[in-house]
Amino acid sequence: MSELFELLIGEGIEEDEEELGWQERALCAQTDPESFFPEKGGSTREAKKVCLACEVRAECLEYALANDERFGIWGGLSERERRRLKKSAV
């Protein structure tokens, strides 16, 4: 199991393999995971560029929103962008 896959599902979270099968097709699993978790003030440009071409971007974003992921780029959005999206949906 790749390090990024473990990061995506988080420690202690057990999910049905079918439900998380999208993660195996995620482009981020084939790239440097550090670009998806930049330090505060760091650039998110490279990670977002990868997300734009990813076939499972929607599933990734849905997962992040459902699991209240607070760090990193998920589905092409930063934490701040996801927070805004959740707020506007309410």
Side-chain angles (χ1 to χ4, degrees):
M1 191 180 298
S2 75
E3 286 179 44
L4 183 56
F5 184 75
E6 290 174 5
L7 280 173
L8 289 172
I9 62 172
E11 287 187 331
I13 297 175
E14 291 187 24
E15 298 282 351
D16 181 48
E17 276 185 39
E18 202 172 292
E19 191 174 320
L20 294 177
W22 61 267
Q23 291 180 349
E24 293 177 3
R25 298 186 325 271
L27 289 178
C28 60
Q30 303 163 29
T31 60
D32 179 15
E34 289 187 29
S35 65
F36 291 87
F37 296 92
E39 297 206 15
K40 188 170 183 158
S43 176
T44 61
R45 190 173 311 149
E46 288 304 311
K48 288 181 175 185
K49 192 185 299 185
V50 171
C51 291
L52 283 175
C54 187
E55 69 179 74
V56 296
R57 181 177 175 197
E59 291 93 331
C60 180
L61 180 57
E62 184 179 325
Y63 175 87
L65 293 171
N67 291 283
D68 199 28
E69 288 292 342
R70 296 181 186 217
F71 302 101
I73 305 302
W74 294 79
L77 299 181
S78 67
E79 177 204 352
R80 180 177 293 156
E81 293 165 328
R82 290 191 305 274
R83 208 172 34 241
R84 264 190 243 135
L85 181 64
K86 278 183 114 171
K87 229 178 227 188
S88 69
V90 174

